[in-house]
Amino acid sequence: MKTNTFTFDSTQFEKISPFYMLLDENLTIVSFGKSAAKLFMLDGRQSFCSLFKIVLPAIAEASFDAIKQVNNEVIFLKTTQNKEITLRGNFEWLEDQNKLLFIGSPWFGSVDNEGKNNLNLHDMQVHDSVEDVLDMLKTHEITTS
């Protein structure tokens, strides 16, 4: 049976997931997407736990092993920099590298939140339909008022 393998260069992966974060065993952010860098002022090897708190599912203490246990579950992260920003996504354990990859995007309730956080359409994932839903809600809001 043939196994399909996908390989992306960093430019391609940035397009697919501009808010990604790659964590090592010490939960240090060793790589991140351009939109994550823009939103959270990431500039190098920073501690994941100093910048984010996992709010769902409930994890008593964030550790590499604890996060591996919620591999492939929906995760909600709150930033410690700005309490209004929540990320929704999931962690994937990259066994061959022994790293955790967070793939997600901001969980905004309004398209206005993008502008407030210095984001625009080009910072978002192209395939994410949430952007379209937020635009429809904003149009409906303008129409009804």
Side-chain angles (χ1 to χ4, degrees):
M1 183 165 149
K2 184 179 175 185
T3 304
N4 292 326
T5 303
F6 295 97
T7 304
F8 300 104
D9 66 27
S10 58
T11 304
Q12 290 172 310
F13 195 71
E14 287 272 346
K15 290 178 186 174
I16 296 168
S17 186
F19 292 96
Y20 87 88
M21 289 179 278
L22 186 65
L23 313 179
D24 68 11
E25 298 165 15
N26 299 314
L27 297 184
T28 300
I29 303 170
V30 296
S31 182
F32 45 84
K34 63 179 174 46
S35 296
K38 183 178 180 179
L39 188 58
F40 302 112
M41 296 174 282
L42 300 175
D43 58 9
R45 297 179 61 87
Q46 294 163 287
S47 165
F48 174 81
C49 293
S50 69
L51 298 173
F52 300 96
K53 177 177 175 46
I54 298 172
V55 292
L56 193 68
I59 296 177
E61 184 178 334
S63 69
F64 191 82
D65 289 332
I67 295 172
K68 273 176 43 179
Q69 296 302 314
V70 294
N71 184 46
N72 262 341
E73 290 185 31
V74 174
I75 302 287
F76 285 89
L77 303 176
K78 282 259 191 207
T79 178
T80 58
Q81 297 172 338
N82 180 339
K83 300 296 183 193
E84 294 179 24
I85 300 173
T86 300
L87 291 176
R88 180 186 187 276
N90 68 287
F91 280 100
E92 183 68 28
W93 178 45
L94 306 178
E95 186 174 1
D96 60 330
Q97 300 177 36
N98 199 31
K99 290 189 170 54
L100 291 165
L101 177 64
F102 176 79
I103 302 171
S105 59
W107 188 250
F108 292 138
S110 166
V111 74
D112 296 334
N113 292 109
E114 289 176 9
K116 278 197 256 181
N117 289 291
N118 198 28
L119 296 175
N120 60 51
L121 180 63
H122 302 290
D123 294 314
M124 308 309 281
Q125 297 171 342
V126 175
H127 63 275
D128 192 347
S129 63
V130 170
E131 186 74 25
D132 297 328
V133 171
L134 292 177
D135 283 339
M136 286 188 296
L137 288 172
K138 183 66 175 180
T139 301
H140 179 71
E141 177 185 319
I142 291 168
T143 303
T144 56
S145 62

